[in-house]
Amino acid sequence: MGKIKKVLVANRGEIALRIFKSLKELSIETVAVFSDADRGALHVRYADQAVYIGPSPASQSYLQIDKILDAARVTGADAIHPGYGFLSEKEDFARAVREAGLTYIGPSEHSIQTMGSKLEAKRAAQAFGVPLVPGTAAPITDTQEAIRLANEIGFPILIKASAGGGGKGMRIVHQAVDFEAQLERAKSEALASFGDDAVFIEKYVTSPRHIEFQILGDQHGNIVHLFERECSIQRRHQKVIEEAPSSVLTPELRERMGSAAVNVARSCGYYNAGTVEFILDDALNFYFLEMNTRLQVEHPVTEMITGLDLVRLQVRIAEGEKLPFTQSELTFSGHAIEARIYAEDPQRQFMPDPGLLRSYEVPSGNGVRVDNGYEAGSEVPVYYDPMLAKLICYAENREQAIAKMIRALSDYTISGVSTTLAFCRFAVDHPAFRSGDFDTHFVANHFTPESLGQRSIPEEIERMAVALAYTHSQQTSTASSVTKVDQPSPWFKNRKHGRD
Ligand code: ADP
């Protein structure tokens, strides 16, 4: 396996940009792919080359394996990085990339497949002595048997889709009488969302904290963890604020959870960067939830406290190099917090609010990192996840990191769409967050639309005007005005831009 010279990133937005930056630092050439909606996007302009891969819906562009492989072929890329989301956890994609003679900057197909099923993942982890949430080990086939097991485990319980992800396909059942109806609903939801109706049940941990460990493995059987991230501040079971280290872990618990995480990775012969997720109950018992076999959205907080570049390490691992450190050589210092800046409206149940960014100014300063995908005048497409950027603040300790985060959030200006900026400020400034006394129910327990104050009438009028203009522009834009770029366009080549 030789040195990688040119990498195509099969992704968009902030994560494509973040990966390109590390690649450039490694003197590796960069190739972007883009859909109609992303013609003018920052990630397209930042890469050395860019290839058009199809219409805006991801199913016709970013999820098209053949088009991505064609783009690699025409540009002469010798490796593909999948980023997160899209094709990043599809073993078919990893296989197709390798069969095309390219290097896949990711794990083996076997790892992706094992950890892609929550049930298979649990089976693999259990064989390595990793604690699991009490629950069923196989998909539910017999409803009466499932009710018996649910009673044995004790309500409340959670019905989960084995193929689930992104917080989708989970149902809490508080009492036995509701079980059957919820089971049917969970199954049809799972089938509709993931094409697989396998569901299982798990004890619903009532006051859980989400703690995950960053894993790194090489192709020579070495696996280490890079400590934890806490991601308990969630809405719709999806993370919105993450931090490292967690304020509840003792060194002893960190060591136990870290070695359990390494065992999970070992159970599927893992190499590349990955994340092992646990929930921690209020008695500090931890249970394995799932493993994500890719770079995670919140990886920057780990980079900040360890000083490592995870993308650089992913590249070296894919090239066949050994990990440059052992577990005992790894340390962390300081405290990092990440706030996810989404185009969504916290005052309307965090509904996505895509549209035109009329103004957009990112904060800066010592210890402030913004992994960003947008600029003023960008359109936030309706087709993809509405995350605009991640704001990461690093300081000597948690209190200072919170102070820096509040300052940086206040310096961030965005108009044209609703965002999570004010919500994030509310959350990190909340006494429960400050004191470390919170769980995954933080939003349900502490946040109401009134928490951010009433919106002023001019603000409300502006929001509605922007929404109307946006709807109008969607109706009048025609797909035929777009020309297809099969070859990398010279216009994109070597074009520099100001912000990123
Ligand atoms: P997904 O793959 O859809 O993200 P996860 O299994 O990773 O699903 O769970 C996502 C979130 O849902 C967790 O961070 C936690 O907040 C909540 N959750 C999952 N399982 C449980 C459980 N057994 N008890 C309580 N909360 C849970």
Side-chain angles (χ1 to χ4, degrees):
M1 229 171 299
K3 286 273 178 209
I4 291 169
K5 296 186 185 68
K6 191 173 200 176
V7 174
L8 179 148
V9 176
N11 217 299
R12 63 179 300 282
E14 69 85 19
I15 193 62
L17 280 154
R18 186 263 164 273
I19 295 165
F20 289 147
K21 286 174 187 165
S22 289
L23 294 173
K24 287 187 179 192
E25 290 166 23
L26 289 164
S27 302
I28 292 174
E29 284 184 78
T30 52
V31 181
V33 288
F34 64 98
S35 68
D36 283 329
D38 281 337
R39 275 176 185 277
L42 277 182
H43 81 273
V44 177
R45 304 199 327 249
Y46 190 71
D48 299 317
Q49 288 177 296
V51 184
Y52 172 75
I53 50 163
S56 306
S59 60
Q60 295 172 49
S61 48
Y62 295 106
L63 293 172
Q64 287 277 326
I65 295 179
D66 289 348
K67 287 186 181 173
I68 287 166
L69 291 180
D70 276 352
R73 193 175 40 75
V74 297
T75 54
D78 54 3
I80 295 187
H81 192 304
Y84 56 67
F86 295 130
L87 294 167
S88 64
E89 289 179 289
K90 300 258 187 283
E91 72 258 29
D92 291 354
F93 182 54
R95 186 175 304 113
V97 170
R98 289 180 173 129
E99 281 173 0
L102 307 174
T103 300
Y104 182 68
I105 304 178
S108 68
E109 289 101 271
H110 166 74
S111 297
I112 301 175
Q113 194 224 332
T114 308
M115 293 297 154
S117 150
K118 289 187 199 289
L119 281 171
E120 260 194 69
K122 282 181 171 224
R123 265 196 294 276
Q126 193 167 33
F128 277 69
V130 176
L132 307 180
V133 189
T136 51
I140 296 172
T141 47
D142 178 339
T143 310
Q144 291 316 312
E145 171 68 3
I147 294 177
R148 197 188 61 72
L149 284 167
N151 276 313
E152 208 175 284
I153 293 165
F155 286 89
I157 58 126
L158 197 58
I159 306 179
K160 272 189 177 179
S162 183
K168 272 189 248 147
M170 269 189 268
R171 297 207 152 245
I172 304 168
V173 189
H174 293 278
Q175 42 186 0
V177 287
D178 300 330
F179 185 84
E180 211 165 329
Q182 294 288 24
L183 177 68
E184 285 319 306
R185 247 176 251 154
K187 276 185 159 181
S188 59
E189 238 174 63
L191 189 64
S193 301
F194 312 110
D196 176 359
D197 76 348
V199 297
F200 63 100
I201 56 181
E202 227 172 60
K203 169 103 192 127
Y204 182 69
V205 178
T206 43
S207 185
R209 297 178 75 127
H210 176 114
I211 311 280
E212 59 185 35
F213 275 71
Q214 177 67 52
I215 290 295
L216 267 186
D218 64 23
Q219 299 187 51
H220 308 274
N222 303 302
I223 304 178
V224 296
H225 71 81
L226 300 179
F227 316 103
E228 80 281 5
R229 297 184 283 258
E230 167 143 22
C231 318
S232 298
I233 310 291
Q234 306 180 347
R235 41 100 184 81
R236 277 186 253 108
H237 299 299
Q238 278 186 301
K239 304 155 190 170
V240 59
I241 289 171
E242 301 99 340
E243 63 181 316
S246 160
S247 52
V248 279
L249 259 55
T250 58
E252 180 271 327
L253 184 54
R254 177 170 297 119
E255 203 171 311
R256 274 197 293 131
M257 291 182 78
S259 64
V262 168
N263 277 333
V264 172
R266 235 180 254 303
S267 79
C268 66
Y270 201 76
Y271 55 83
N272 178 50
T275 297
V276 178
E277 299 189 338
F278 298 100
I279 46 177
L280 189 69
D281 69 16
D282 46 11
L284 300 184
N285 299 304
F286 65 91
Y287 309 97
F288 170 60
L289 268 188
E290 64 163 355
M291 178 169 185
N292 292 319
T293 52
R294 55 169 165 80
L295 195 65
Q296 198 101 330
V297 175
E298 57 275 21
H299 76 275
V301 291
T302 299
E303 295 188 320
M304 302 301 265
I305 65 160
T306 59
L308 296 169
D309 177 337
L310 288 172
V311 172
R312 185 189 185 100
L313 287 158
Q314 283 188 298
V315 169
R316 294 300 183 225
I317 290 166
E319 287 174 337
E321 281 190 18
K322 286 190 172 158
L323 289 181
F325 35 63
T326 59
Q327 189 68 59
S328 59
E329 287 164 348
L330 288 162
T331 53
F332 67 88
S333 67
H335 199 96
I337 305 177
E338 173 180 283
R340 297 194 191 185
I341 315 304
Y342 284 95
E344 56 182 41
D345 190 347
Q347 292 178 300
R348 288 185 174 79
Q349 290 87 43
F350 295 89
M351 287 246 298
D353 189 27
L356 180 71
L357 295 173
R358 295 202 313 124
S359 64
Y360 192 82
E361 283 296 325
V362 302
S364 58
N366 187 15
V368 175
R369 165 175 168 179
V370 187
D371 280 18
N372 176 38
Y374 291 89
E375 63 189 338
S378 298
E379 187 84 32
V380 184
V382 291
Y383 304 98
Y384 318 116
D385 182 85
M387 194 175 77
L388 303 173
K390 299 163 338 200
L391 168 60
I392 305 105
C393 290
Y394 174 76
E396 218 174 287
N397 57 43
R398 190 167 186 269
E399 199 186 332
Q400 286 173 27
I402 290 174
K404 197 178 285 284
M405 181 56 88
I406 292 169
R407 188 276 291 171
L409 285 164
S410 308
D411 288 351
Y412 214 135
T413 54
I414 303 175
S415 70
V417 299
S418 305
T419 72
T420 47
L421 280 174
F423 166 77
C424 290
R425 213 162 45 226
F426 163 84
V428 294
D429 200 17
H430 194 279
F433 185 80
R434 282 185 178 276
S435 66
D437 181 17
F438 57 89
D439 60 26
T440 59
H441 305 301
F442 176 88
V443 170
N445 291 344
H446 302 296
F447 181 72
T448 68
E450 291 72 44
S451 304
L452 304 182
Q454 292 292 328
R455 251 200 283 253
S456 69
I457 289 173
E459 260 178 344
E460 192 65 10
I461 291 171
E462 180 182 311
R463 208 194 66 82
M464 283 164 62
V466 168
L468 270 176
Y470 176 66
T471 313
H472 182 70
S473 73
Q474 290 287 294
Q475 284 161 352
T476 52
S477 73
T478 56
S480 60
S481 63
V482 163
T483 39
K484 184 170 175 201
V485 188
D486 275 321
Q487 295 295 325
S489 152
W491 183 82
F492 290 120
K493 249 193 147 151
N494 302 324
R495 198 181 144 156
K496 296 268 176 278
H497 62 87
R499 198 193 309 271
D500 252 298

